[in-house]
Amino acid sequence: WSVALVPLTDLPLHMARAYLMRHYGDGSAMVSYLELSPVPRHNAAFDLLAPPLLGSLSLERATQWFLTLYLLLFAAACHWLGRAVSGDGTRFGPPRPAMLPCLFLSCHASFLYGYVNFSFGLALALLALALRIGWGRRWTVLRIAILTALCTLIYLSHLAALGILGLAWVLWTLHECLQARRICLRDAAAFAAFIPAAALYFFTLGEPHGAVAWAGPRLKLLHRLPQPSTPSRSNPRSRS
């Protein structure tokens, strides 16, 4: 909150999209070249949350509120995940000391790149994973409905965050099955939480600009590592 524009590499692009979505249809020359798709798409956390705030807040202030919400959500997810892994379920209580260092992961490399949609979706994914671990095999219709809503929100935030949740969900389910030495049908039924998100994904594949370009393993690894850089200096001897 000490600066008007948080120095995240990709953040200005998200801010520009939110501004255009807010002023879509007002006769602006810039917006007249664009078309707003009514189809719900993934990677749209900032697009969904920031434009409604622009009615009463400036673009910079709305961005600050979004980033603050992300940090609070990430902290809450670390808290609940730590208690769930420690066997405390989803009960209220003090945070586990082992999870406190995880709060520093909120400023991970993707966040510093400005990938705020992925970061927001990742925080939601950690929260959903905490509920999944905390509830164990005690499934009810209400709990599956809550996780279904969360999975759908994670998909709308960022597709990769939903993939991370799905992978962690599968691994934890296998861990439970190996411990119990049996497979419970309720475990398979719990995967129904991913059905609405999967349906939205396959529905948008046939839409214009609905294709997804998947990066290779090398690029994904590089994006997870810190990328130190220095300001470029113009070479006075360079030729045009």
Side-chain angles (χ1 to χ4, degrees):
W1 288 77
S2 60
V3 295
L5 181 61
V6 183
L8 303 178
T9 305
D10 207 41
L11 184 59
L13 174 61
H14 295 288
M15 297 174 66
R17 286 170 56 91
Y19 178 85
L20 293 174
M21 292 180 66
R22 176 63 184 176
H23 295 279
Y24 183 81
D26 63 355
S28 173
M30 292 183 298
V31 181
S32 60
Y33 293 97
L34 305 175
E35 180 180 359
L36 186 62
S37 174
V39 179
R41 300 182 184 276
H42 50 80
N43 306 0
F46 196 86
D47 297 341
L48 294 175
L49 295 179
L53 299 176
L54 297 183
S56 55
L57 300 175
S58 65
L59 180 59
E60 293 80 6
R61 189 66 69 185
T63 302
Q64 291 171 337
W65 276 112
F66 177 87
L67 297 178
T68 301
L69 178 61
Y70 155 69
L71 293 174
L72 293 176
L73 186 61
F74 194 95
C78 288
H79 167 70
W80 290 116
L81 185 59
R83 292 188 59 82
V85 172
S86 301
D88 296 325
T90 56
R91 299 188 301 270
F92 288 95
R96 294 298 176 182
M99 291 304 295
L100 292 179
C102 294
L103 297 177
F104 294 97
L105 296 178
S106 59
C107 296
H108 48 83
S110 294
F111 176 75
L112 297 180
Y113 270 120
Y115 301 157
V116 292
N117 289 336
F118 169 75
S119 301
F120 193 88
L122 181 62
L124 287 176
L126 293 177
L127 181 60
L129 182 61
L131 295 178
R132 166 65 184 90
I133 296 175
W135 286 336
R137 292 186 163 185
R138 301 180 299 274
W139 293 113
T140 63
V141 175
L142 177 60
R143 289 179 175 180
I144 293 179
I146 293 175
L147 285 174
T148 301
L150 269 176
C151 287
T152 306
L153 290 176
I154 295 167
Y155 166 80
L156 294 175
S157 298
H158 202 280
L159 182 60
L162 183 65
I164 292 174
L165 173 63
L167 178 60
W169 191 308
V170 170
L171 293 177
W172 187 261
T173 301
L174 291 176
H175 168 73
E176 289 180 332
C177 292
L178 291 175
Q179 279 192 330
R181 295 184 179 181
R182 65 186 181 90
I183 299 177
C184 183
L185 293 179
R186 290 187 176 183
D187 295 334
F191 281 94
F194 291 88
I195 292 179
L200 286 174
Y201 171 73
F202 287 107
F203 176 74
T204 56
L205 286 181
E207 296 292 323
H209 309 292
V212 178
W214 298 98
R218 178 178 177 274
L219 183 60
K220 289 182 178 296
L221 178 62
L222 289 176
H223 282 186
R224 297 300 175 267
L225 298 176
Q227 300 292 322
S229 60
T230 56
S232 62
R233 299 179 179 179
S234 58
N235 186 358
R237 299 182 179 180
S238 63
R239 298 179 179 179
S240 57

